[in-house]
Amino acid sequence: MAAEYRLDIYTAAGVKVAEVTDFIELAYTRRVNAPGLLTWSIMGNHEVLPLLEHNGIVIVYRRNASIGLPWTADFWGLYRAQKRWYTDHDLFEARCPGVMTMLTWRIVAWYANTANRSKFTGVKAETIAKTLVSYNAGSAATTANGRIRDGAISGISVQADAGSGNTLNYSCAWDNLLSALQTVASIGGGDFDLAYTGAGTYRFDWHSGQLGTDRTGTLLFALERGNMAEPVYEYDRQEDKSVGIAGGQGEDDERVVWIRTSPSYNAASNNIETFID
């Protein structure tokens, strides 16, 4: 038996208003340390349309009776965009980025070199990440605490700090909050998530090491296993560059220049230059 899917529709405050199973198409992508995206389409006169509201919560549930998987929440998104079009009937498409998109709504709104707010010296990665969220999107994001403007996002809390991860020196004044967190995670020895905890509430979590279990050594996608469909292979080297000419300091003919070739470089058949400033 193939997997089954349903969409549970909530208001922005977390009140459930509908379930949808008669969608025409549904696709979603989950990403580590990024929001991911859900898209789904229905008929343009569907009864759920009047119930959709800006920043309403849409949860994808999945089940597969053949392997004993009950209805399980697999994606949490916010209704943020729509598209309507007409063929021989009305159609409607909703686009819902993952709830982590809320972290893109804030910047690190602290003056440069503000200790433990926009500049961190010798601080654990988990502590940096949770401090950034607390003081830019959590309840501590207030002008009373020194932030440029009040920035608390309703419903966001932060998991207790365990002080894990690598010890870092990091500065990020005025950076987008999610971008800053992604940088911390890339060098900090951990991943993060914004977990939906119910009724319009969310908790920022840090996962030491990595989020989830690495199954790259045991997971196999194959048509005969029924876990992939319509694979496509493309080969495109239209934009290929194989020679990098990099310009460093200096002006005119005094400028320092380096030349590097890529593994695909071939003097006769793949000799394409690009300049890197």
Side-chain angles (χ1 to χ4, degrees):
M1 180 181 293
E4 301 173 80
Y5 295 86
R6 83 166 195 255
L7 299 170
D8 285 13
I9 311 298
Y10 293 77
T11 67
V15 178
K16 185 175 179 178
V17 293
E19 292 185 7
V20 177
T21 57
D22 58 345
F23 42 80
I24 300 170
E25 293 184 343
L26 181 148
Y28 62 100
T29 303
R30 297 178 59 182
R31 298 188 181 279
V32 177
N33 302 334
L37 180 66
L38 160 68
T39 61
W40 50 284
S41 60
I42 52 179
M43 297 297 292
N45 61 351
H46 198 287
E47 61 186 6
V48 79
L49 290 179
L51 304 176
L52 295 174
E53 65 175 50
H54 179 64
N55 285 339
I57 303 156
V58 181
I59 304 178
V60 178
Y61 279 85
R62 176 177 180 267
R63 76 173 175 183
N64 191 327
S66 64
I67 60 173
L69 178 69
W71 284 117
T72 304
D74 200 38
F75 186 90
W76 297 260
L78 299 181
Y79 172 59
R80 300 276 296 173
Q82 63 166 272
K83 180 176 76 172
R84 296 174 184 259
W85 72 103
Y86 185 86
T87 55
D88 58 349
H89 52 272
D90 290 321
L91 292 167
F92 174 93
E93 180 185 81
R95 293 188 291 276
C96 308
V99 296
M100 196 185 293
T101 196
M102 289 190 289
L103 299 177
T104 69
W105 300 351
R106 295 293 181 267
I107 67 169
V108 181
W110 294 80
Y111 289 113
N113 297 315
T114 304
N116 298 316
R117 296 294 181 268
S118 65
K119 180 179 181 179
F120 301 85
T121 304
V123 180
K124 293 291 187 179
E126 177 182 356
T127 301
I128 295 174
K130 290 180 174 177
T131 299
L132 288 173
V133 175
S134 294
Y135 285 91
N136 291 285
S139 60
T142 65
T143 55
N145 283 332
R147 195 174 188 270
I148 299 300
R149 67 180 291 269
D150 290 333
I153 298 175
S154 177
I156 289 185
S157 63
V158 178
Q159 178 190 50
D161 184 15
S164 67
N166 300 330
T167 301
L168 306 177
N169 298 330
Y170 183 57
S171 296
C172 54
W174 316 120
D175 289 353
N176 179 269
L177 176 57
L178 179 60
S179 296
L181 293 168
Q182 290 169 335
T183 299
V184 171
S186 70
I187 57 177
D191 291 324
F192 61 88
D193 194 16
L194 190 64
Y196 178 72
T197 54
T201 57
Y202 312 86
R203 185 187 65 243
F204 180 81
D205 295 337
W206 175 267
H207 300 268
S208 185
Q210 67 177 43
L211 173 60
T213 302
D214 184 354
R215 302 190 187 279
T216 54
T218 58
L219 186 62
L220 176 65
F221 289 97
L223 290 168
E224 60 271 19
R225 292 180 176 233
N227 57 10
M228 67 179 297
E230 300 181 7
V232 175
Y233 171 76
E234 292 187 8
Y235 179 85
D236 187 349
R237 296 180 66 176
Q238 297 178 90
E239 301 300 323
D240 196 9
K241 301 291 188 294
S242 59
V243 181
I245 300 176
Q249 295 182 352
E251 297 181 357
D252 301 328
D253 59 357
E254 297 298 321
R255 189 169 190 182
V256 180
V257 174
W258 295 267
I259 301 173
R260 294 292 184 269
T261 56
S262 76
S264 66
Y265 169 75
N266 183 288
S269 63
N270 196 37
N271 188 348
I272 306 171
E273 297 176 345
T274 187
F275 180 72
I276 303 98
D277 186 359

